[in-house]
Coordinates of all heavy atoms in Angstrom, one line a residue:
I35 N -11.5 -4.2 -23.4 CA -11.5 -3.1 -22.5 C -13.1 -2.7 -22.2 O -13.5 -2.5 -21.1 CB -10.8 -1.9 -22.9 CG1 -9.3 -2.2 -22.9 CG2 -11.0 -0.6 -22.2 CD1 -8.7 -2.6 -21.5
P36 N -13.9 -2.6 -23.3 CA -15.3 -2.2 -23.0 C -16.0 -3.1 -22.0 O -16.6 -2.5 -21.1 CB -16.0 -2.3 -24.4 CG -14.8 -2.1 -25.4 CD -13.7 -2.8 -24.8
A37 N -15.8 -4.3 -22.0 CA -16.5 -5.2 -21.1 C -15.9 -5.0 -19.7 O -16.7 -4.9 -18.6 CB -16.4 -6.7 -21.5
A38 N -14.6 -4.8 -19.5 CA -14.0 -4.6 -18.3 C -14.5 -3.3 -17.6 O -14.7 -3.1 -16.4 CB -12.5 -4.7 -18.3
H39 N -14.5 -2.3 -18.5 CA -15.0 -1.0 -18.1 C -16.4 -0.9 -17.6 O -16.6 -0.4 -16.4 CB -14.8 0.0 -19.2 CG -15.3 1.5 -19.0 ND1 -14.6 2.3 -18.1 CD2 -16.4 2.1 -19.4 CE1 -15.3 3.4 -18.1 NE2 -16.3 3.4 -18.8
E40 N -17.2 -1.7 -18.3 CA -18.6 -1.9 -18.0 C -18.7 -2.5 -16.7 O -19.5 -2.1 -15.7 CB -19.4 -2.8 -19.0 CG -20.8 -3.1 -18.8 CD -21.7 -1.8 -18.7 OE1 -21.3 -0.8 -19.4 OE2 -22.7 -1.9 -18.0
K41 N -18.0 -3.6 -16.3 CA -18.0 -4.2 -15.1 C -17.5 -3.3 -13.9 O -18.1 -3.3 -12.9 CB -17.0 -5.5 -15.2 CG -17.1 -6.4 -13.9 CD -18.4 -7.2 -14.0 CE -18.7 -7.7 -12.6 NZ -20.1 -8.2 -12.6
F42 N -16.5 -2.5 -14.2 CA -16.0 -1.6 -13.2 C -17.1 -0.6 -12.8 O -17.3 -0.2 -11.7 CB -14.8 -0.9 -13.8 CG -14.1 0.0 -12.7 CD1 -13.9 -0.4 -11.4 CD2 -13.7 1.4 -13.0 CE1 -13.3 0.4 -10.4 CE2 -13.1 2.1 -12.1 CZ -12.9 1.7 -10.8
Q43 N -17.9 -0.1 -13.9 CA -19.0 0.8 -13.7 C -20.0 0.2 -12.7 O -20.6 0.8 -11.9 CB -19.5 1.4 -15.0 CG -18.5 2.2 -15.8 CD -17.7 3.1 -15.2 OE1 -18.1 4.0 -14.4 NE2 -16.3 2.9 -15.4
Q44 N -20.3 -1.1 -13.1 CA -21.3 -1.8 -12.3 C -20.9 -1.9 -10.9 O -21.6 -1.7 -9.9 CB -21.6 -3.2 -12.8 CG -22.3 -3.3 -14.1 CD -22.3 -4.7 -14.7 OE1 -21.9 -5.7 -14.1 NE2 -22.7 -4.8 -16.0
W45 N -19.6 -2.2 -10.7 CA -19.0 -2.3 -9.3 C -19.1 -0.9 -8.6 O -19.3 -0.8 -7.4 CB -17.6 -2.7 -9.3 CG -17.5 -4.3 -9.4 CD1 -18.3 -5.2 -9.0 CD2 -16.4 -5.0 -10.1 NE1 -17.9 -6.5 -9.2 CE2 -16.7 -6.3 -10.0 CE3 -15.3 -4.6 -10.7 CZ2 -15.9 -7.4 -10.5 CZ3 -14.4 -5.6 -11.2 CH2 -14.8 -6.9 -11.2
R46 N -19.0 0.2 -9.3 CA -19.1 1.6 -8.7 C -20.6 1.7 -8.3 O -20.9 2.1 -7.2 CB -18.7 2.6 -9.7 CG -17.2 2.8 -9.8 CD -16.8 3.8 -10.8 NE -17.2 5.1 -10.5 CZ -17.2 6.2 -11.3 NH1 -16.9 6.0 -12.6 NH2 -17.6 7.3 -10.9
T47 N -21.4 1.3 -9.2 CA -22.9 1.5 -8.9 C -23.3 0.6 -7.6 O -24.1 1.2 -6.8 CB -23.8 1.1 -10.1 OG1 -23.3 1.8 -11.3 CG2 -25.2 1.4 -9.9
S48 N -22.9 -0.6 -7.6 CA -23.2 -1.4 -6.5 C -22.5 -1.1 -5.2 O -22.8 -1.5 -4.1 CB -22.9 -2.9 -6.8 OG -21.4 -3.1 -7.0
G49 N -21.5 -0.2 -5.3 CA -20.8 0.2 -4.1 C -19.6 -0.7 -3.9 O -18.7 -0.3 -2.9
D50 N -19.3 -1.8 -4.6 CA -18.1 -2.6 -4.4 C -16.8 -1.8 -4.6 O -15.9 -2.0 -4.0 CB -18.2 -3.9 -5.2 CG -19.3 -4.8 -4.9 OD1 -19.2 -5.3 -3.7 OD2 -20.2 -5.0 -5.7
A51 N -16.9 -1.0 -5.7 CA -15.8 -0.2 -6.0 C -15.8 1.2 -5.4 O -15.4 2.2 -6.1 CB -15.5 -0.1 -7.5
I52 N -16.3 1.3 -4.2 CA -16.6 2.7 -3.6 C -15.2 3.4 -3.5 O -15.3 4.6 -3.3 CB -17.3 2.4 -2.2 CG1 -17.6 3.8 -1.7 CG2 -16.6 1.6 -1.3 CD1 -18.4 3.8 -0.4
F53 N -14.1 2.6 -3.4 CA -12.8 3.4 -3.2 C -12.6 4.4 -4.2 O -12.0 5.4 -4.0 CB -11.7 2.4 -3.3 CG -11.3 1.8 -4.7 CD1 -10.6 2.4 -5.6 CD2 -11.9 0.6 -5.2 CE1 -10.3 2.1 -6.8 CE2 -11.7 0.2 -6.5 CZ -10.9 0.9 -7.2
Y54 N -13.2 4.2 -5.5 CA -12.9 5.1 -6.6 C -13.6 6.5 -6.3 O -13.1 7.6 -6.6 CB -13.4 4.4 -7.9 CG -13.2 5.3 -9.1 CD1 -12.0 5.2 -9.9 CD2 -14.2 6.2 -9.6 CE1 -11.7 5.9 -10.9 CE2 -14.0 6.8 -10.7 CZ -12.8 6.8 -11.5 OH -12.5 7.5 -12.5
D55 N -14.9 6.3 -5.9 CA -15.7 7.6 -5.7 C -15.5 8.3 -4.3 O -15.7 9.4 -4.2 CB -17.2 7.2 -5.8 CG -17.4 6.8 -7.3 OD1 -17.4 7.6 -8.2 OD2 -17.5 5.5 -7.5
L56 N -15.0 7.4 -3.5 CA -14.7 8.1 -2.1 C -13.6 9.1 -2.2 O -13.8 10.2 -1.5 CB -14.2 6.9 -1.2 CG -14.3 7.1 0.3 CD1 -15.8 7.1 0.7 CD2 -13.7 5.8 1.0
A57 N -12.6 8.8 -2.9 CA -11.5 9.8 -3.0 C -11.9 11.0 -3.8 O -12.2 10.8 -5.0 CB -10.3 9.1 -3.6
G58 N -12.1 12.1 -3.1 CA -12.4 13.2 -4.0 C -13.9 13.6 -4.1 O -14.2 14.8 -4.5
S59 N -14.7 12.6 -3.8 CA -16.1 13.0 -4.0 C -16.6 14.0 -2.9 O -17.5 14.8 -3.1 CB -17.0 11.7 -4.0 OG -16.9 11.1 -2.8
K60 N -16.1 13.8 -1.7 CA -16.4 14.8 -0.7 C -15.1 15.2 -0.1 O -14.1 14.6 -0.1 CB -17.2 14.0 0.4 CG -18.5 13.4 0.1 CD -19.1 12.9 1.3 CE -19.2 11.4 1.3 NZ -19.4 10.7 2.4
D61 N -15.3 16.3 0.8 CA -14.0 16.7 1.6 C -13.9 15.8 2.6 O -14.8 15.1 3.1 CB -14.3 18.1 2.1 CG -14.3 19.2 0.9 OD1 -13.6 18.9 0.0 OD2 -14.8 20.2 1.1
I62 N -12.6 15.7 3.2 CA -12.4 14.9 4.3 C -13.1 15.5 5.4 O -13.1 16.7 5.7 CB -10.9 14.9 4.6 CG1 -10.1 14.3 3.4 CG2 -10.6 14.0 5.9 CD1 -8.6 14.5 3.6
S63 N -13.7 14.5 6.3 CA -14.5 15.1 7.4 C -13.6 16.0 8.4 O -12.6 15.4 8.8 CB -14.9 13.9 8.2 OG -15.3 14.1 9.5
P64 N -14.1 17.1 8.7 CA -13.3 17.9 9.7 C -13.0 17.3 11.0 O -12.0 17.6 11.6 CB -14.2 19.3 9.9 CG -15.3 19.1 8.9 CD -15.4 17.7 8.4
E65 N -13.8 16.3 11.3 CA -13.6 15.6 12.6 C -12.3 14.9 12.6 O -11.7 14.7 13.7 CB -14.8 14.6 12.8 CG -15.1 14.4 14.2 CD -16.0 13.1 14.4 OE1 -16.8 12.8 13.4 OE2 -16.0 12.5 15.5
I66 N -11.9 14.3 11.4 CA -10.6 13.6 11.4 C -9.5 14.6 11.8 O -8.5 14.2 12.6 CB -10.4 13.0 10.0 CG1 -11.4 11.9 9.7 CG2 -9.0 12.7 9.7 CD1 -11.0 11.0 8.6
F67 N -9.5 15.9 11.3 CA -8.4 16.8 11.5 C -8.6 17.2 13.0 O -7.5 17.3 13.7 CB -8.6 18.0 10.7 CG -8.3 17.8 9.2 CD1 -9.3 17.6 8.3 CD2 -7.0 17.6 8.8 CE1 -9.1 17.3 7.0 CE2 -6.7 17.4 7.4 CZ -7.8 17.2 6.5
E68 N -9.7 17.4 13.6 CA -9.9 17.8 14.9 C -9.3 16.8 15.9 O -8.6 17.1 16.8 CB -11.4 18.1 15.3 CG -11.9 19.4 14.8 CD -13.4 19.4 14.8 OE1 -14.1 18.7 15.5 OE2 -13.9 20.0 13.8
V69 N -9.9 15.5 15.7 CA -9.4 14.5 16.6 C -7.9 14.2 16.5 O -7.2 14.0 17.5 CB -10.2 13.1 16.4 CG1 -9.7 12.1 17.4 CG2 -11.7 13.4 16.5
A70 N -7.4 14.3 15.3 CA -6.0 14.1 15.1 C -5.1 15.2 15.7 O -4.1 14.8 16.4 CB -5.6 14.2 13.5
A71 N -5.6 16.4 15.7 CA -4.9 17.4 16.4 C -4.9 17.2 17.9 O -3.8 17.4 18.6 CB -5.6 18.8 16.1
N72 N -6.0 16.8 18.4 CA -6.1 16.5 19.9 C -5.2 15.4 20.3 O -4.5 15.4 21.3 CB -7.6 16.2 20.3 CG -8.5 17.4 20.4 OD1 -7.9 18.5 20.6 ND2 -9.7 17.1 20.3
T73 N -5.2 14.4 19.4 CA -4.4 13.2 19.7 C -2.9 13.5 19.8 O -2.2 13.2 20.7 CB -4.7 12.1 18.6 OG1 -6.1 11.9 18.6 CG2 -3.9 10.8 19.0
A74 N -2.5 14.3 18.7 CA -1.2 14.8 18.7 C -0.8 15.6 19.9 O 0.4 15.5 20.5 CB -0.9 15.5 17.4
E75 N -1.7 16.3 20.3 CA -1.4 17.2 21.5 C -1.2 16.5 22.8 O -0.5 16.8 23.7 CB -2.5 18.3 21.6 CG -2.1 19.5 22.3 CD -3.3 20.6 22.2 OE1 -3.8 20.9 21.1 OE2 -3.7 21.0 23.3
N76 N -2.1 15.5 22.9 CA -2.3 14.8 24.2 C -1.4 13.6 24.3 O -1.4 13.0 25.5 CB -3.7 14.5 24.5 CG -4.5 15.8 24.7 OD1 -4.1 16.6 25.5 ND2 -5.6 15.9 24.1

Side-chain angles (χ1 to χ4, degrees):
I35 296 299
H39 180 68
E40 175 61 28
K41 189 73 203 166
F42 185 47
Q43 302 315 309
Q44 284 169 16
W45 281 326
R46 283 178 65 193
T47 307
S48 64
D50 291 301
I52 185 178
F53 73 86
Y54 183 89
D55 297 288
L56 202 63
S59 62
K60 293 188 254 164
D61 289 339
I62 300 170
S63 152
E65 213 194 332
I66 290 197
F67 293 99
E68 282 159 30
V69 180
N72 282 340
T73 305
E75 204 176 306
N76 292 314

